[in-house]
Each structure stands twice: as C-alpha cells, then as structure tokens.
Amino acid sequence: MKEQDKRLVEQEENAGCNPKYKQFMLLIEQADPVVFFVPRWCINAVGGDFKAGVLLSHIVNLFHNKYGKQRMIERDGKVWLVKSRNEWSEEFLFTPKEFDRAIKVLCDLGLAEKRIFKVDGNPTISIWLNEDLLEDLLLKAVVEQCM
C-alpha cells in the first residue's frame, strides 16, 4: 500500500470519513502533496495577518505529526523544528522575505522563537513553538466562539 493510501486509511479510521471525502483527499494529495488547512483562530491569533497565520498553522501541525517529529532537535531544554529558509519558503510559496516577515510576527507576539543551530554541520533555522501561549489563545478562541 502506498504511503498516501496508508495516511488516508488512517485518517478515515480516526475521523470516520465518508468514502467521497477519502477520494477527494486522495485527488488533492496526487495533485500536490503539500496540503494544509488554516483554522481561522490562527489568523486571528496573529492580528489578521494571513501569511503569519498560515505559518503558525503549519508549525502547530508539524509539532504534532510524524513528519514534523523527524525534523526536530532538542537544544537548550526546548524542542526545535529545523528547516532551511528555502524549505520554509517553498512549502508555502512564500518568498524568503515573506517567510522572514511572517516568522518575525510570530516571534514578536511570543508565539515562537527563532534561532540558528548547526544541524549536520549547516546553520539551520530552528523554531520553538510557545505551546503555553498557544493553548491560552486557543482556549480564548473557543470561549469567544461559545459566546
């Protein structure tokens, strides 16, 4: 079974997806394997900045999935997600400058910290996610939704 098919079977088992949804997701993955959905609260958490919200959503997703775990290191008592500037940019179709600005927004808000660590001998962008602040923002979004 192909890796894509395994992921879809796992998604279906976990979420009780209907067969049409499974076919739809398979078509999307075949067209472009980089698919991400951006929850509105991510955009709201960064003051309506769409690109920073997209980046936040993706970082949160990477911190909590198997692919992201492969890209993590532990330094200074924190877990960091590591990718080159070009990898970050290419994933979102951002220019490197757009990525720099979006990550700066996240860092300025305290949602992330960006450092450079050597990984396999190369200086690599490393991002730490402030999950405590993120949880506070998510709970606030849930409370606001219920009001």
Side-chain angles (χ1 to χ4, degrees), residues 7-137:
R7 282 195 308 249
L8 288 173
V9 168
E10 184 179 315
Q11 283 175 356
E12 183 176 340
E13 290 171 353
N14 292 338
C17 299
N18 68 44
K20 284 191 174 193
Y21 179 78
K22 179 180 176 181
Q23 290 174 332
F24 177 71
M25 292 307 293
L26 182 59
L27 284 172
I28 288 174
E29 285 199 13
Q30 288 173 345
D32 185 350
V34 179
V35 176
F36 49 92
F37 298 93
V38 182
R40 185 175 298 165
W41 70 266
C42 285
I43 296 167
N44 292 341
V46 294
D49 186 314
F50 184 75
K51 289 190 178 186
V54 168
L55 183 59
L56 174 61
S57 175
H58 192 62
I59 291 170
V60 168
N61 186 41
L62 287 173
F63 263 84
H64 296 96
N65 74 29
K66 294 175 195 170
Y67 171 73
K69 301 286 184 210
Q70 298 168 3
R71 305 297 307 245
M72 293 190 178
I73 61 170
E74 192 169 334
R75 300 267 168 89
D76 299 335
K78 296 178 181 177
V79 177
W80 300 81
L81 186 60
V82 294
K83 291 183 177 204
S84 73
R85 185 173 181 231
N86 286 338
E87 286 176 304
W88 282 110
S89 299
E90 288 171 7
E91 263 184 59
F92 305 106
L93 303 175
F94 287 5
T95 65
K97 284 186 178 185
E98 289 171 325
F99 166 77
D100 292 343
R101 193 196 57 73
I103 193 62
K104 182 179 183 327
V105 169
L106 299 183
C107 292
D108 288 350
L109 292 170
L111 288 164
E113 182 180 336
K114 176 185 149 195
R115 304 223 350 238
I116 305 293
F117 292 120
K118 280 200 174 188
V119 178
D120 297 328
N122 299 314
T124 307
I125 292 175
S126 305
I127 296 175
W128 170 75
L129 180 64
N130 184 342
E131 293 185 278
D132 291 335
L133 179 55
L134 187 68
E135 184 178 337
D136 290 346
L137 289 171

